[in-house]
Amino acid sequence: MNIFIAGLSYSINDNDLKDLFTEYGEITSAKVIMDKATGRSKGYGFVELADNAAGQKAIEELNGAEYDGRTISVSEARPRTEGDRPRRSYDNNRGGGNNGGYRRREY
């Protein structure tokens, strides 16, 4: 089961997240999501547990719990859908109608 954890302290790392869920069963992966630009935690992460029943128990017991001075929100992770992220446009046409930024000179 893949679990989403929000409201994490910015000082939490992957190992801390893994330690938090260790008592619930075998952890396949634990990942705190980091901001690419700053290298700092975004305040949320994902933990994958091998057993669904253990994952459900972890969600029930940890949702709303205090961890590292913050109240965390724990839920089953939803699969990412196509509409979750805005599409990036590589079309650099920004309009304006000024002939691509060039002015015609009158001589």
Side-chain angles (χ1 to χ4, degrees):
M1 172 181 273
N2 198 8
I3 300 171
F4 173 73
I5 304 96
L8 293 171
S9 165
Y10 296 115
S11 64
I12 300 295
N13 61 37
D14 295 351
N15 287 331
D16 296 329
L17 202 54
K18 189 174 184 176
D19 290 345
L20 177 62
F21 283 84
T22 298
E23 70 178 88
Y24 296 100
E26 181 187 344
I27 297 171
T28 322
S29 68
K31 183 78 177 153
V32 173
I33 305 304
M34 306 300 273
D35 185 286
K36 290 178 184 176
T38 64
R40 188 176 149 201
S41 165
K42 287 190 170 190
Y44 66 92
F46 296 91
V47 171
E48 194 166 341
L49 290 171
D51 181 44
N52 283 349
Q56 196 58 47
K57 182 178 180 188
I59 290 170
E60 290 169 8
E61 292 184 10
L62 292 175
N63 187 36
E66 188 173 308
Y67 182 64
D68 199 42
R70 305 219 19 203
T71 301
I72 59 173
S73 175
V74 182
S75 62
E76 187 170 354
R78 293 179 293 125
R80 185 182 278 181
T81 62
E82 194 64 33
D84 285 348
R85 184 183 273 188
R87 289 200 171 192
R88 210 179 237 186
S89 172
Y90 294 101
D91 179 14
N92 289 325
N93 181 6
R94 293 195 174 109
N98 64 352
N99 196 17
Y102 298 103
R103 283 199 231 172
R104 179 182 287 169
R105 291 189 180 178
E106 300 291 329
Y107 293 102

